[in-house]
Short mmCIF file of all heavy atoms in Angstrom, two decimals:
data_model
loop_
_atom_site.label_atom_id
_atom_site.label_comp_id
_atom_site.label_asym_id
_atom_site.label_seq_id
_atom_site.Cartn_x
_atom_site.Cartn_y
_atom_site.Cartn_z
N LYS A 89 -11.66 -0.30 -33.05
CA LYS A 89 -10.18 -0.41 -33.06
C LYS A 89 -9.69 -1.27 -34.23
O LYS A 89 -8.66 -1.81 -34.11
CB LYS A 89 -9.79 -0.94 -31.72
CG LYS A 89 -10.51 -2.09 -31.16
CD LYS A 89 -10.11 -2.34 -29.68
CE LYS A 89 -11.05 -3.38 -29.10
NZ LYS A 89 -10.93 -3.56 -27.69
N SER A 90 -10.48 -1.34 -35.28
CA SER A 90 -10.03 -2.28 -36.37
C SER A 90 -8.99 -1.56 -37.29
O SER A 90 -8.24 -2.22 -37.99
CB SER A 90 -11.17 -2.77 -37.19
OG SER A 90 -11.69 -1.64 -37.98
N GLY A 91 -9.05 -0.25 -37.31
CA GLY A 91 -8.21 0.50 -38.32
C GLY A 91 -8.94 0.75 -39.54
O GLY A 91 -8.48 1.51 -40.41
N ASN A 92 -10.19 0.20 -39.73
CA ASN A 92 -10.97 0.39 -40.91
C ASN A 92 -12.42 0.31 -40.44
O ASN A 92 -13.04 -0.70 -40.86
CB ASN A 92 -10.66 -0.60 -42.04
CG ASN A 92 -11.30 -0.30 -43.29
OD1 ASN A 92 -11.58 0.93 -43.61
ND2 ASN A 92 -11.48 -1.26 -44.10
N ASP A 93 -12.88 1.26 -39.65
CA ASP A 93 -14.16 1.16 -39.03
C ASP A 93 -15.21 1.93 -39.82
O ASP A 93 -15.00 2.99 -40.33
CB ASP A 93 -14.15 1.72 -37.62
CG ASP A 93 -13.09 1.02 -36.78
OD1 ASP A 93 -13.04 -0.26 -36.76
OD2 ASP A 93 -12.25 1.77 -36.27
N ARG A 94 -16.43 1.33 -39.92
CA ARG A 94 -17.57 2.02 -40.58
C ARG A 94 -18.57 2.25 -39.47
O ARG A 94 -19.07 1.36 -38.78
CB ARG A 94 -18.13 1.07 -41.63
CG ARG A 94 -17.12 0.75 -42.74
CD ARG A 94 -17.70 -0.31 -43.74
NE ARG A 94 -18.89 0.23 -44.48
CZ ARG A 94 -18.84 0.88 -45.57
NH1 ARG A 94 -17.67 1.25 -46.09
NH2 ARG A 94 -19.88 1.33 -46.19
N VAL A 95 -19.10 3.59 -39.43
CA VAL A 95 -20.00 4.03 -38.43
C VAL A 95 -21.08 4.69 -39.12
O VAL A 95 -20.90 5.63 -39.95
CB VAL A 95 -19.29 4.99 -37.39
CG1 VAL A 95 -20.40 5.42 -36.40
CG2 VAL A 95 -18.15 4.32 -36.78
N THR A 96 -22.36 4.29 -38.88
CA THR A 96 -23.57 4.86 -39.55
C THR A 96 -24.00 6.08 -38.65
O THR A 96 -24.13 5.84 -37.38
CB THR A 96 -24.65 3.92 -39.65
OG1 THR A 96 -24.26 2.76 -40.52
CG2 THR A 96 -25.91 4.49 -40.36
N LEU A 97 -24.23 7.16 -39.23
CA LEU A 97 -24.56 8.37 -38.48
C LEU A 97 -26.07 8.36 -38.04
O LEU A 97 -26.89 7.98 -38.89
CB LEU A 97 -24.26 9.66 -39.29
CG LEU A 97 -22.88 9.94 -39.61
CD1 LEU A 97 -22.83 11.12 -40.52
CD2 LEU A 97 -22.06 10.24 -38.31
N ALA A 98 -26.25 8.75 -36.78
CA ALA A 98 -27.66 9.00 -36.33
C ALA A 98 -28.03 10.48 -36.53
O ALA A 98 -27.10 11.24 -36.71
CB ALA A 98 -27.71 8.66 -34.85
N ARG A 99 -29.26 10.73 -36.56
CA ARG A 99 -29.71 12.10 -36.65
C ARG A 99 -29.31 12.93 -35.44
O ARG A 99 -29.24 12.45 -34.34
CB ARG A 99 -31.33 12.15 -36.73
CG ARG A 99 -31.82 13.54 -37.09
CD ARG A 99 -33.34 13.52 -37.24
NE ARG A 99 -33.77 12.55 -38.21
CZ ARG A 99 -33.77 12.57 -39.52
NH1 ARG A 99 -33.21 13.63 -40.09
NH2 ARG A 99 -34.20 11.57 -40.28
N GLY A 100 -28.76 14.13 -35.73
CA GLY A 100 -28.27 14.98 -34.59
C GLY A 100 -26.77 15.03 -34.74
O GLY A 100 -26.17 14.62 -35.74
N THR A 101 -26.06 15.34 -33.66
CA THR A 101 -24.67 15.48 -33.60
C THR A 101 -24.08 14.23 -33.12
O THR A 101 -24.43 13.73 -32.06
CB THR A 101 -24.19 16.69 -32.68
OG1 THR A 101 -24.88 17.88 -33.29
CG2 THR A 101 -22.68 16.80 -32.82
N ASN A 102 -23.16 13.69 -33.83
CA ASN A 102 -22.39 12.43 -33.53
C ASN A 102 -20.95 12.90 -33.17
O ASN A 102 -20.33 13.60 -33.89
CB ASN A 102 -22.31 11.54 -34.77
CG ASN A 102 -23.73 11.08 -35.25
OD1 ASN A 102 -24.09 9.91 -34.94
ND2 ASN A 102 -24.47 11.97 -35.83
N TYR A 103 -20.47 12.40 -32.04
CA TYR A 103 -19.23 12.83 -31.50
C TYR A 103 -18.25 11.62 -31.54
O TYR A 103 -18.56 10.54 -31.06
CB TYR A 103 -19.29 13.35 -30.10
CG TYR A 103 -20.22 14.47 -29.91
CD1 TYR A 103 -21.47 14.41 -29.55
CD2 TYR A 103 -19.75 15.82 -30.13
CE1 TYR A 103 -22.38 15.46 -29.40
CE2 TYR A 103 -20.50 16.96 -30.03
CZ TYR A 103 -21.86 16.77 -29.63
OH TYR A 103 -22.67 17.86 -29.56
N PHE A 104 -16.96 11.89 -31.95
CA PHE A 104 -15.96 10.84 -31.97
C PHE A 104 -14.66 11.39 -31.41
O PHE A 104 -14.25 12.42 -31.80
CB PHE A 104 -15.78 10.31 -33.36
CG PHE A 104 -17.00 9.79 -33.96
CD1 PHE A 104 -17.81 10.55 -34.85
CD2 PHE A 104 -17.52 8.50 -33.72
CE1 PHE A 104 -19.02 10.15 -35.39
CE2 PHE A 104 -18.71 8.05 -34.24
CZ PHE A 104 -19.41 8.89 -35.08
N ILE A 105 -13.94 10.55 -30.62
CA ILE A 105 -12.63 10.95 -30.19
C ILE A 105 -11.68 9.76 -30.38
O ILE A 105 -12.11 8.60 -30.55
CB ILE A 105 -12.62 11.42 -28.69
CG1 ILE A 105 -12.98 10.27 -27.81
CG2 ILE A 105 -13.58 12.59 -28.49
CD1 ILE A 105 -12.85 10.53 -26.30
N CYS A 106 -10.42 10.02 -30.25
CA CYS A 106 -9.40 8.96 -30.08
C CYS A 106 -9.05 9.06 -28.60
O CYS A 106 -8.76 10.17 -28.13
CB CYS A 106 -8.11 9.22 -30.93
SG CYS A 106 -6.81 7.96 -30.59
N ASN A 107 -9.16 7.90 -27.87
CA ASN A 107 -8.82 8.04 -26.38
C ASN A 107 -7.43 7.45 -26.07
O ASN A 107 -7.19 7.24 -24.94
CB ASN A 107 -9.89 7.46 -25.60
CG ASN A 107 -9.97 5.93 -25.54
OD1 ASN A 107 -9.37 5.26 -26.31
ND2 ASN A 107 -10.73 5.45 -24.55
N PHE A 108 -6.51 7.38 -27.08
CA PHE A 108 -5.18 7.14 -26.72
C PHE A 108 -4.67 8.35 -26.01
O PHE A 108 -5.03 9.49 -26.34
CB PHE A 108 -4.31 6.85 -28.02
CG PHE A 108 -4.39 5.44 -28.46
CD1 PHE A 108 -5.59 4.77 -28.66
CD2 PHE A 108 -3.20 4.72 -28.79
CE1 PHE A 108 -5.61 3.47 -29.11
CE2 PHE A 108 -3.23 3.40 -29.27
CZ PHE A 108 -4.42 2.78 -29.37
N PRO A 109 -3.80 8.18 -24.98
CA PRO A 109 -3.36 9.34 -24.17
C PRO A 109 -2.85 10.54 -24.97
O PRO A 109 -1.97 10.41 -25.81
CB PRO A 109 -2.26 8.70 -23.32
CG PRO A 109 -2.55 7.20 -23.23
CD PRO A 109 -3.14 6.91 -24.59
N GLY A 110 -3.48 11.67 -24.72
CA GLY A 110 -3.15 12.89 -25.31
C GLY A 110 -3.62 13.21 -26.67
O GLY A 110 -3.60 14.35 -27.14
N HIS A 111 -4.22 12.15 -27.42
CA HIS A 111 -4.65 12.38 -28.80
C HIS A 111 -5.86 13.32 -28.91
O HIS A 111 -5.84 14.20 -29.73
CB HIS A 111 -4.91 11.09 -29.40
CG HIS A 111 -3.64 10.25 -29.66
ND1 HIS A 111 -3.65 9.13 -30.49
CD2 HIS A 111 -2.44 10.37 -29.17
CE1 HIS A 111 -2.39 8.62 -30.52
NE2 HIS A 111 -1.71 9.30 -29.63
#
Side-chain angles (χ1 to χ4, degrees):
K89 47 190 171 188
S90 75
N92 189 26
D93 306 309
R94 297 174 65 87
V95 180
T96 302
L97 294 175
R99 186 172 313 280
T101 304
N102 299 254
Y103 300 96
F104 304 95
I105 66 171
C106 175
N107 75 345
F108 275 49
H111 291 198

